[in-house]
Amino acid sequence: LKLTTVEEMEAATARLLETGAKVGADAWQLRVKNQTPHCKFGEQGVCCRICAMGPCRITPKAPRGICGCDVHGIVGRNYLKFTAGGAATHSDHGREICHTLYEAKPDGAYKVKDPEKLIRIAKEWGVETEGKDIYDLAHEMAETALMEYGKPFGVQRWLKRAPEHTQKLWHDAEIEPRAIDREVATSLHMAHMGCSSLPEALVRQSLRAGLADGWGGSMCGTEFSDVLFGTPKPLDTEANLGVMNADNVNIVVHGHDPSLSEMVCEYADDPEMIAYAKSMGAKGITVSGVCCTSNEVAMRRGVPMAGNFLQQENVVLTGACEAIVVDVQCIFPALGPLSKCFHTKFITTSPIAQMPDSDYIRFDVGTAAEKAKQIVMTACENFKNRKPDLVYIPDMKQKATVGYSFEALVKTLDGVTNSQVDVTGTTKPLIECITSGVIRGAVAMVGCNNPKIRPDYAHIELMKKLIANDIVVVASGCSAQAAAKAGLMDKAAKDLCGAGLKRVCELADIPPVLHMGSCVDISRMMVLVAELAKDSGLNISQLPVVGCAPEWMSEKAVSIGNYVVATGIDTFLGVDPYVAGSSEMGQWLTEGVRDWVEAAYTVETDIEKLVDKMIDRIEEKRTALGI
Ligand code: SF4
Ligand code: FE2
């Protein structure tokens, strides 16, 4: 196995930026320069503009805003608002999936592909399944799930999946999420002028809003996407820009909601559409992806991954992208003006993400099939507008095995046990590996890229060191794509592991970095740790498991961080969440919350130190368990 290095990826990007310069294109690399240095007040979280008496910014000479709020209250409110933005976004994605499920029909564009999973969830929720038509059940479950967003009483249904100990911690700390929308609204209410300015209260609600995401909206997104599109199973794909094909019509799907990308993939495979592409002079159609929608279709269809977040402009810069089709979240508005420098069609599809300089083809469940067909045809027709002298696709791709949903992971790991019948279908084989020390622990690597960290470098270097230390990595989102691009999801990457993890990879026939899906699929990781705790009789916080987002950038990532910590998993960040301006907020997030949820944050911007701290933490947990 020859890994693709970050240097090689950077060289490819540099070459693409030369094309960009030729056509007068802007790029994030240039905009970062214009924005540096960043506003210090913003960076520290000490600027408040939530009322029109301000904006107020805290300095030694002006320690309070006009209303009298101190720096801790300002930083805390900003942090809570940041979280609420993320929780709203993930959860609304989940809601869209529930609506899609509600519209599923046996002869429609959307079907129930995993009825067993639907029945399993229905039983979990106490919904009668006996003798019910699967589509009637789907509609009932969709409606029940949609009620989770606004129900007036009670807490999230999914919480029952957590070990009892965790549920009790949540209850005692008063952070059990009620209706999902309510937690978002309450957060905005608390952060309104003249409401909460007490860091403790703001942090508590930040955890609760995060839990409404991870154990609410995101879990709806993941679970019902599986019901609709199938629960991922291991399959082979490829990653990096070299997956684009110069001879074919290239359609790049970007964003998060699989309702769109699934349909685009469906039509791109249609013989009629392929014939249409050929009639336009292409040899065929290649769909590839960017960001989480790419993870979704990679996990279920083996659609290749062109790249992650900070590569989104690169796909256009290849000059070979006929259409970049987006739904919601993490889409650079830059794609509009950039695509105008090329022949590329920038197709927006969601009322939630409308942008200048795009072709808006509004996509909805009722017209999904015809709109997907229209999108694919538009891309095909655009092939003839390509400017051949601008085409350059870096010859760079790696093989990757993806698709490790919780269900698939449990099944796969049955291969490593010494055959006791009672442990198959549980996480016990993995627990055996961990307690025996063959695997030292696990790290959940998640999150985005951020120009503040050399893109992909932290993800890849951290993972290499972890697996060399016999620590298995589960990855999602852009972190997973970084791993795939480098080659760490190739099964041959076992050779980079310590002896123990290497043996496990061989026995189970898995790569050492396991692709668990998109960002909403971090809920899969929550299910995994919950089951590990139940099967081992330990608390989640006792497991030698940590979470890490070394290059995160979005509000969603902070919401995720909050629910991962609140679930009892120490979480390591490589970028500070704008809280440096408040010692009290820092104290609450890195220590105080431990009293409630048995875990806390560590922020460490030095990547070398970050990985060592994670390994130390895992070893500490092992020592505490006497293993
Ligand atoms: Fe200033 Fe207080 Fe208004 Fe914030 S809420 S802008 S600190 S007066
Ligand atoms: Fe994502």
Side-chain angles (χ1 to χ4, degrees):
L1 169 80
K2 193 195 162 297
L3 290 184
T4 303
T5 65
V6 171
E7 287 75 12
E8 287 167 319
M9 294 187 215
E10 286 167 346
T13 299
R15 171 70 180 72
L16 290 169
L17 289 173
E18 282 173 27
T19 316
K22 260 193 244 168
V23 297
D26 192 13
W28 66 259
Q29 290 85 348
L30 307 171
R31 296 189 297 272
V32 165
K33 287 196 184 117
N34 294 342
Q35 289 293 344
T36 307
H38 294 284
C39 166
K40 284 274 171 280
F41 299 102
E43 220 166 34
Q44 303 214 316
V46 302
C47 173
C48 184
R49 48 175 295 281
I50 65 168
C51 92
M53 296 192 289
C56 300
R57 43 189 206 185
I58 301 305
T59 63
K61 263 169 62 190
R64 286 181 187 270
I66 291 168
C67 66
C69 191
D70 68 7
V71 74
H72 310 297
I74 290 176
V75 171
R77 288 191 305 224
N78 287 342
Y79 184 81
L80 178 56
K81 274 178 178 276
F82 212 83
T83 305
T89 303
H90 273 149
S91 299
D92 208 35
H93 165 167
R95 177 184 352 239
E96 294 288 330
I97 297 294
C98 295
H99 278 292
T100 306
L101 183 64
Y102 189 77
E103 299 293 332
K105 291 185 190 76
D107 55 352
Y110 296 102
K111 301 187 175 61
V112 171
K113 283 207 184 138
D114 192 341
E116 280 168 35
K117 184 155 186 171
L118 177 65
I119 291 168
R120 215 163 62 230
I121 300 168
K123 289 192 171 142
E124 200 183 318
W125 283 8
V127 172
E128 184 57 55
T129 59
E130 224 35 61
K132 220 173 257 175
D133 174 79
I134 199 73
Y135 283 86
D136 289 342
L137 182 62
H139 303 154
E140 186 179 344
M141 287 297 288
E143 197 170 344
T144 309
L146 286 164
M147 290 305 188
E148 290 299 288
Y149 285 79
K151 62 185 185 184
F153 307 108
V155 297
Q156 285 300 297
R157 287 171 180 270
W158 297 119
L159 303 188
K160 292 235 160 50
R161 287 184 165 189
E164 270 171 30
H165 175 75
T166 309
Q167 292 185 49
K168 183 167 187 309
L169 290 176
W170 292 338
H171 182 78
D172 292 347
E174 286 187 59
I175 55 171
E176 288 165 301
R178 301 156 298 176
I180 298 162
D181 290 348
R182 181 173 184 186
E183 298 310 348
V184 174
T186 296
S187 300
L188 296 180
H189 187 174
M190 285 178 75
H192 189 275
M193 192 275 153
C195 286
S196 289
S197 49
L198 187 69
E200 175 178 345
L202 294 162
V203 169
R204 211 185 278 274
Q205 180 59 21
S206 298
L207 296 186
R208 183 147 69 164
L211 287 169
D213 169 356
W215 291 84
S218 274
M219 210 167 269
C220 286
T222 296
E223 297 298 81
F224 295 119
S225 289
D226 283 357
V227 169
L228 278 165
F229 308 119
T231 303
K233 297 186 186 74
L235 47 80
D236 295 331
T237 185
E238 291 176 325
N240 219 336
L241 288 168
V243 304
M244 294 174 71
N245 185 332
D247 296 330
N248 287 356
V249 170
N250 285 294
I251 302 175
V252 177
V253 290
H254 175 16
H256 283 79
D257 184 340
S259 304
L260 169 74
S261 48
E262 278 285 331
M263 280 301 127
V264 171
C265 291
E266 195 76 36
Y267 276 91
D269 275 348
D270 187 301
E272 191 196 326
M273 287 297 109
I274 294 168
Y276 194 60
K278 287 182 177 162
S279 75
M280 296 291 154
K283 287 196 176 149
I285 303 174
T286 297
V287 181
S288 59
V290 173
C291 281
C292 277
T293 211
S294 172
N295 289 318
E296 299 273 1
V297 287
M299 295 259 288
R300 297 197 180 90
R301 293 174 172 263
V303 168
M305 301 179 274
N308 48 359
F309 178 61
L310 283 181
Q311 250 180 320
Q312 58 183 288
E313 289 169 293
N314 288 13
V315 299
V316 178
L317 288 166
T318 62
C321 175
E322 274 58 54
I324 180 160
V325 188
V326 305
D327 46 74
V328 290
Q329 305 167 25
C330 302
I331 299 145
F332 273 7
L335 292 176
L338 177 63
S339 62
K340 291 275 177 276
C341 298
F342 291 85
H343 75 303
T344 307
K345 295 260 184 220
F346 173 43
I347 302 176
T348 49
T349 61
S350 168
I352 290 169
Q354 303 183 49
M355 295 190 192
D357 298 311
S358 71
D359 292 359
Y360 184 44
I361 300 181
R362 185 169 174 169
F363 189 84
D364 51 56
V365 179
T367 57
E370 86 195 51
K371 294 296 174 66
K373 193 170 172 184
Q374 185 191 346
I375 289 167
V376 174
M377 287 176 80
T378 305
C380 291
E381 286 154 13
N382 198 25
F383 184 78
K384 59 180 185 303
N385 298 324
R386 212 189 254 186
K387 302 184 184 89
D389 52 326
L390 292 181
V391 173
Y392 170 74
I393 300 174
D395 178 21
M396 184 177 274
K397 62 179 173 185
Q398 288 280 1
K399 284 194 287 182
T401 304
V402 301
Y404 294 96
S405 57
F406 169 72
E407 291 86 338
L409 201 58
V410 164
K411 207 159 176 215
T412 307
L413 286 167
D414 278 347
V416 301
T417 186
N418 299 328
S419 84
Q420 298 93 324
V421 200
D422 65 319
V423 305
T424 57
T426 70
T427 63
K428 284 181 182 163
L430 181 56
I431 293 165
E432 275 175 23
C433 294
I434 294 173
T435 43
S436 65
V438 177
I439 295 177
R440 305 300 295 174
V443 174
M445 291 285 299
V446 307
C448 338
N449 301 124
N450 185 328
K452 287 180 181 167
I453 308 281
R454 187 177 174 190
D456 291 339
Y457 185 79
H459 289 300
I460 294 167
E461 292 306 309
L462 292 182
M463 289 188 215
K464 277 162 59 183
K465 186 152 183 184
L466 293 170
I467 62 174
N469 281 280
D470 288 323
I471 294 167
V472 68
V473 174
V474 291
S476 71
C478 288
S479 185
Q481 289 169 329
K485 289 193 298 174
L488 292 168
M489 287 180 173
D490 187 326
K491 287 176 185 167
K494 69 176 169 32
D495 292 332
L496 303 169
C497 302
L501 180 56
K502 182 176 176 180
R503 184 88 189 106
V504 172
C505 289
E506 282 167 350
L507 285 172
D509 192 29
I510 52 171
V513 179
L514 297 162
H515 195 310
M516 284 194 88
S518 64
C519 299
V520 293
D521 291 341
I522 296 170
S523 61
R524 298 189 198 279
M525 298 177 181
M526 298 302 100
V527 172
L528 175 61
V529 290
E531 291 305 308
L532 281 168
K534 287 186 234 169
D535 287 343
S536 66
L538 299 169
N539 297 334
I540 291 177
S541 60
Q542 290 176 290
L543 301 169
V545 171
V546 302
C548 178
E551 305 183 20
W552 73 272
M553 62 85 207
S554 73
E555 292 173 315
K556 291 180 290 177
V558 171
S559 177
I560 293 168
N562 287 340
Y563 74 71
V564 174
V565 166
T567 300
I569 303 167
D570 284 317
T571 298
F572 293 74
L573 303 180
V575 178
D576 174 69
Y578 298 147
V579 295
S582 162
S583 56
E584 286 186 24
M585 277 299 291
Q587 205 279 334
W588 274 109
L589 294 173
T590 60
E591 287 171 45
V593 293
R594 197 175 289 284
D595 290 342
W596 304 333
V597 294
E598 302 176 344
Y601 280 109
T602 299
V603 180
E604 176 55 70
T605 51
D606 180 327
I607 294 311
E608 271 302 311
K609 286 188 191 150
L610 182 69
V611 66
D612 289 339
K613 283 183 180 175
M614 288 197 285
I615 296 172
D616 289 350
R617 193 76 192 99
I618 283 171
E619 291 301 329
E620 269 170 41
K621 290 193 182 241
R622 295 190 64 91
T623 310
L625 288 172
I627 57 172

